[in-house]
Amino acid sequence: MDKMKLSRMAFYGYHGVFPEENKLGQRFYVDLELTLDLSEAGRTDDLAATVNYAEVYERVKRIVEGRPFRLIEALAENVASDVLHQYTNVNDVTVRVVKPHPPFDIHFDGVTVEICRKRESI
């Protein structure tokens, strides 16, 4: 199978367990890896034979910048579910959500959640 990757999409959201996170918000980064057959699109140069990544970006943006989730696991799950429901030619999707500045008094480059969902699991 072929892959389409959307890397380091940046959005501002209000996700987190702590009230300050829901009030102040912060930047989140999302990576998607879609597995699908791109051979027809490659042969025909036809957008209808693939996934419009600009459209995918807008769908992810609506989710991340929409209602707050307590957990980035839930945010990732919602993105994966939306992609698999909207794009029937996508066989599976990997979603990575990065919260670069979690509100802890420790120093590291953020926390990342990565989930993989297959079409048969929706």
Side-chain angles (χ1 to χ4, degrees):
M1 269 294 130
D2 305 313
K3 294 186 187 251
M4 177 183 289
K5 297 179 182 183
L6 288 78
S7 301
R8 199 92 170 144
M9 295 181 286
F11 307 105
Y12 201 87
Y14 296 86
H15 314 290
V17 174
F18 299 107
E20 307 82 42
E21 294 176 290
N22 304 136
K23 183 178 179 183
L24 300 174
Q26 67 176 291
R27 183 145 321 273
F28 291 84
Y29 297 102
V30 179
D31 299 328
L32 290 184
E33 186 174 296
L34 312 177
T35 303
L36 66 161
D37 184 351
L38 297 173
S39 58
E40 182 182 348
R43 281 191 311 275
T44 64
D45 198 24
D46 182 3
L47 181 60
T50 186
V51 169
N52 182 335
Y53 55 80
E55 188 179 280
V56 173
Y57 173 89
E58 289 300 325
R59 296 186 72 79
V60 174
K61 179 179 181 177
R62 278 195 296 276
I63 294 169
V64 178
E65 294 184 354
R67 75 174 180 94
F69 293 94
R70 289 172 35 89
L71 303 176
I72 59 174
E73 293 88 341
L75 176 60
E77 191 69 41
N78 275 264
V79 169
S81 179
D82 182 78
V83 168
L84 288 173
H85 278 98
Q86 183 65 29
Y87 303 100
T88 57
N89 56 337
V90 173
N91 296 316
D92 60 78
V93 60
T94 299
V95 180
R96 285 175 212 87
V97 177
V98 179
K99 188 176 197 175
H101 305 291
F104 304 112
D105 190 23
I106 54 178
H107 302 283
F108 60 99
D109 285 338
V111 62
T112 301
V113 166
E114 178 176 302
I115 65 167
C116 302
R117 298 295 178 264
K118 296 185 181 306
R119 172 147 309 283
E120 60 270 8
S121 67
I122 63 168

